[in-house]
């Protein structure tokens, strides 16, 4: 589902308005059985209509049959780090990313995306070494699609998140997405700040660190946010994008 709203700008010196940019309001993905298509469609439309970024004037729901058998990805282990301010949160995230081999140039490049008010529909691909943007369409970015969780793992996840008082759709969906992203071999790490003005917890995720939630990545009411994936410099960008956008992946708990 994608929900957006057309912005209108005042023409200087006149009382007329002209079309501005399309503002991204919200987006969501899922994989379900045939029998649950209507239910999922309703959930997604309700989501689009009740987002704190505003009321959309366009909602697109795309339903596609998946013929390829999904592969499994392990759900990343989750921890929350309480940070006192956006500066404190960024210092924590930057330290973790440096340990994972992300250069300071790449860190600076990612901040430009995460702090921009022109939010992208998808994620930015950034070379972990040079900081170069790698995705072909920088306005759109890369959308992570075709992802879900198996029923047993979903129940187990709900129990775990309930114990932590964070059993909500935002956390569940972000964790499933981060688990798919981390299962892509050429992605070193992901950072996400929500573009929801009421949601100030972000995260850093990678195969080795797990899913590290970080509080206060921005101040309440701020509209900026986004997702960045740090990738190996020499990786095949087309292959990464094909995995993220097209490969059906189901998140599962490890058998511990
Ligand atoms: C989003 O708005 O989709 C991103 C949410 C990021 C943080 C989720 C969490 O609290 O773990």
């Amino acid at each position: 589902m994608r929900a957006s709203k057309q912005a209108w700008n005042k023409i200087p010196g006149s009382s007329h308005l002209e079309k501005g940019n399309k503002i991204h309001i919200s987006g969501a993905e899922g994989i379900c059985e045939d029998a649950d298509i209507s239910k999922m469609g309703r959930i997604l439309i309700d989501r689009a209509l009740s987002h704190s970024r505003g009321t959309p004037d366009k909602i697109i729901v795309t339903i596609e049959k998946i013929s390829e058998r999904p592969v499994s990805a392990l759900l990343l282990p989750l921890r929350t780090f309480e940070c006192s301010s956006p500066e404190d949160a960024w210092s924590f995230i930057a330290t973790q990313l440096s340990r994972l081999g992300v250069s300071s140039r790449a860190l600076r490049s990612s901040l430009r995306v995460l702090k921009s008010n022109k939010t992208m529909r998808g994620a930015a691909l950034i070379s972990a070494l040079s900081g170069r943007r790698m995705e072909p369409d920088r306005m759109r970015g890369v959308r992570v699609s075709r992802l879900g969780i198996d029923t047993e793992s979903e129940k187990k996840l709900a129990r775990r998140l309930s114990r932590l008082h964070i059993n909500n759709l935002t956390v569940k969906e972000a964790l499933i997405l981060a688990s798919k992203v981390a299962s892509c071999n050429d992605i070193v790490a992901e950072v996400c700040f929500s573009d929801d003005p009421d949601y100030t917890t972000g995260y850093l995720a990678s195969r080795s660190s797990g899913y590290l939630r970080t509080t206060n990545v921005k101040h309440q009411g701020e509209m900026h946010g986004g997702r960045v994936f740090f990738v190996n410099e020499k990786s095949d960008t087309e292959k990464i994008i094909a995995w993220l956008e097209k490969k059906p992946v189901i998140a599962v708990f490890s058998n511990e």
Side-chain angles (χ1 to χ4, degrees):
M1 175 278 292
R2 324 242 168 287
S4 62
K5 188 186 174 97
Q6 180 66 56
W8 293 91
N9 302 327
K10 214 169 165 276
I11 300 176
S14 123
S15 57
H16 290 98
L17 297 174
E18 66 180 353
K19 264 191 180 181
N21 292 333
K22 268 215 156 54
I23 302 166
H24 164 74
I25 302 285
S26 68
E29 314 280 339
I31 295 180
C32 68
E33 297 294 339
D34 290 0
D36 294 327
I37 293 175
S38 312
K39 189 169 118 206
M40 186 173 257
R42 241 184 347 264
I43 291 172
L44 293 175
I45 293 168
D46 287 348
R47 282 272 292 285
L49 292 172
S50 59
H51 202 276
S52 58
R53 284 179 67 75
T55 308
D57 54 23
K58 188 172 186 177
I59 302 171
I60 299 176
V61 178
T62 308
I63 301 166
E64 279 178 302
K65 184 178 171 71
I66 296 179
S67 319
E68 194 181 347
R69 207 183 163 76
V71 295
S72 303
L74 287 183
L75 271 172
L76 294 172
L78 170 150
R79 276 188 294 166
T80 301
F81 288 83
E82 298 293 339
C83 295
S84 56
S85 64
E87 293 71 30
D88 186 25
W90 182 249
S91 150
F92 170 75
I93 291 170
T95 306
Q96 302 298 321
L97 289 172
S98 307
R99 283 194 191 136
L100 293 167
V102 176
S103 72
S104 10
R105 275 162 84 181
L107 287 178
R108 282 197 297 276
S109 176
S110 70
L111 263 188
R112 284 195 284 278
V113 175
L114 297 167
K115 294 238 165 169
S116 169
N117 278 328
K118 278 196 196 144
T119 52
M120 296 160 60
R121 267 179 23 216
L125 286 189
I126 295 179
S127 156
L129 190 65
S130 67
R132 196 162 56 87
R133 289 284 290 277
M134 316 264 281
E135 76 275 19
D137 181 343
R138 290 204 195 176
M139 295 285 283
R140 174 184 177 273
V142 179
R143 285 284 320 180
V144 185
S145 229
R146 303 191 181 184
L147 66 170
I149 182 166
D150 82 283
T151 315
E152 276 316 302
S153 298
E154 187 167 21
K155 286 188 196 146
K156 196 165 166 186
L157 178 62
R159 285 197 295 275
R160 291 218 177 159
L161 295 180
S162 288
R163 283 202 289 275
L164 300 169
H165 310 290
I166 48 172
N167 186 21
N168 59 63
L169 263 185
T170 308
V171 176
K172 258 194 240 172
E173 287 183 354
L175 177 62
I176 294 169
L177 184 147
S179 303
K180 172 170 180 179
V181 172
S183 72
C184 178
N185 280 336
D186 270 319
I187 297 185
V188 177
E190 171 189 358
V191 177
C192 170
F193 289 7
S194 175
D195 55 13
D196 180 337
D198 297 337
Y199 205 92
T200 57
T201 298
Y203 68 84
L204 148 78
S206 73
R207 274 183 304 283
S208 55
S209 66
Y211 181 88
L212 307 183
R213 302 178 71 239
T214 315
T215 64
N216 294 314
V217 293
K218 66 182 199 179
H219 296 291
Q220 191 76 26
E222 288 180 328
M223 295 293 282
H224 63 257
R227 272 199 165 83
V228 298
F229 303 150
F230 296 98
V231 303
N232 289 323
E233 176 78 22
K234 294 233 156 68
S235 52
D236 179 340
T237 312
E238 269 181 35
K239 243 168 121 180
I240 295 178
I241 295 174
W243 176 273
L244 296 172
E245 295 193 336
K246 300 275 185 254
K247 189 80 188 169
V249 172
I250 294 288
V252 293
F253 264 105
S254 62
N255 295 323
E256 27 55 282

